[in-house]
Amino acid sequence: MPTNLPRWTDDAPEPGVPGAPPRHVAIIMDGNGRWAAARGLPRLEGHRRGVEALRRAVRAAHELGVRHLTLYSFSVENWSRPVEEVSDLMNLLRLFIRRDLAELRDSNVRIRVIGERVGLPADILGLLVEAETTTRANTGLTLVVAFNYGGRQELVSAIRRIAEAARDGRLDPSKIDTGVVSDHLDTADIPDPDLVIRTSGELRISNFLLWQSAYAEFAFLPMHWPDFDKKAFEDAVANYQSRQRRYGGRLTRAGA
Ligand code: FPP
């Protein structure tokens, strides 16, 4: 990656300014199963290697100066997988939090969890809450763990709460705007993603950050998630920094 590109620091240009670094990168970590199948390994091994790639991604985000990193770790649709695989994924989350929480806390990482909490196994919920509370005062990278997450479900629950507020007279329906909707999402105080990365070559959004990624840039990488490394992250960020974001408007730079 060219080293002269600005990193995200407090005085870095805002997202939208040409060449600005992404403040928030969100990743759909796809392809663990295919990575394992291509090597004749069980799917669990693919997920295990996926956790290693996840660790690399957190470290790389920190080194690249990304402020927010959202990882799609378990979707509401993932419950439809065979019960053994769901159980493997839950166990990997348990292991990850137990093994890595202290180091993340000491690295000034703040953990946030988005997604539906109702219906999660009690100990998983306890670990997720522990991860959030233990790192609450940290001021470095915010690691947003999307767990039991679905973009449509998040919107439905926001709409429900907005409707209740309107019904109870706490909110004037004519005042409902995009800001009000954003404020009722799980991501209320997190900036929208600037860059959404998906590995494994699939070209879809899969119910991930549907509202928040309205103006995100996308990077669809051909590699499977267990192969994702710092170089892949750097290349995706450098490619992002070479793009012109127009947010539906027109370029204003001379010659554009
Ligand atoms: C996609 O691979 C991966 C997921 C189901 C979610 C991401 C999971 C991990 C990185 C490992 C577990 C980590 C935690 C913290 C829970 P896939 O199974 O959809 O791959 P495929 O499309 O090739 O079958």
Side-chain angles (χ1 to χ4, degrees):
M1 170 177 155
T3 49
N4 57 346
L5 291 172
R7 282 163 44 99
W8 179 261
T9 55
D10 288 343
D11 55 356
E14 285 290 316
V17 175
R23 180 170 46 186
H24 181 175
V25 177
I27 308 185
I28 303 176
M29 309 181 286
D30 193 15
N32 294 347
R34 275 163 288 170
W35 182 94
R39 289 159 181 79
L41 296 169
R43 289 182 68 81
L44 174 56
E45 191 51 30
H47 292 315
R48 279 203 194 108
R49 298 291 286 261
V51 176
E52 287 173 25
L54 184 157
R55 289 193 181 99
R56 285 196 295 273
V58 174
R59 218 171 297 130
H62 179 70
E63 287 163 11
L64 288 166
V66 169
R67 300 293 298 148
H68 303 265
L69 175 69
T70 299
L71 298 175
Y72 203 4
S73 306
F74 191 86
S75 76
V76 288
E77 288 82 14
N78 285 154
W79 292 108
S80 66
R81 296 190 176 202
V83 68
E84 304 77 37
E85 184 170 357
V86 170
S87 163
D88 285 342
L89 288 167
M90 295 289 159
N91 281 335
L92 285 173
L93 181 77
R94 287 183 180 100
L95 271 178
F96 174 67
I97 296 182
R98 287 191 194 123
R99 281 193 194 157
D100 291 46
L101 183 56
E103 188 184 328
L104 291 167
R105 181 199 59 210
D106 296 344
S107 311
N108 201 21
V109 172
R110 181 176 181 193
I111 297 178
R112 289 280 311 270
V113 180
I114 59 171
E116 185 51 67
R117 296 180 184 217
V118 176
L120 285 178
D123 73 307
I124 291 276
L125 185 56
L127 284 168
L128 292 173
V129 171
E130 183 191 340
E132 286 187 310
T133 41
T134 307
T135 60
R136 194 170 35 202
N138 282 351
T139 55
L141 172 74
T142 300
L143 172 60
V144 184
V145 180
F147 201 82
N148 199 20
Y149 177 83
R152 285 183 166 182
Q153 289 75 7
E154 181 190 34
L155 277 164
V156 166
S157 114
I159 290 164
R160 196 172 287 140
R161 279 182 291 123
I162 290 169
E164 285 164 1
R167 181 198 61 199
D168 299 345
R170 289 179 280 119
L171 181 63
D172 175 354
S174 72
K175 297 275 185 332
I176 298 171
D177 57 12
T178 55
V180 169
V181 175
S182 292
D183 286 347
H184 284 79
L185 298 174
D186 294 358
T187 49
D189 51 350
I190 298 168
D192 286 344
D194 302 300
L195 172 64
V196 176
I197 297 173
R198 180 173 191 144
T199 55
S200 93
E202 306 292 351
L203 306 179
R204 48 177 181 263
I205 185 101
S206 298
N207 206 10
F208 185 49
L209 300 179
L210 296 181
W211 173 274
Q212 299 88 336
S213 59
Y215 285 103
E217 296 292 323
F218 284 81
F220 295 103
L221 308 185
M223 66 185 46
H224 293 315
W225 177 248
D227 289 328
F228 187 82
D229 58 9
K230 186 176 177 194
K231 164 100 173 49
F233 205 149
E234 283 176 343
D235 288 350
V237 165
N239 181 288
Y240 164 88
Q241 285 178 276
S242 71
R243 298 186 199 178
Q244 293 284 351
R245 299 182 74 185
R246 293 196 291 277
Y247 300 93
R250 288 181 47 178
L251 292 180
T252 51
R253 289 198 319 166

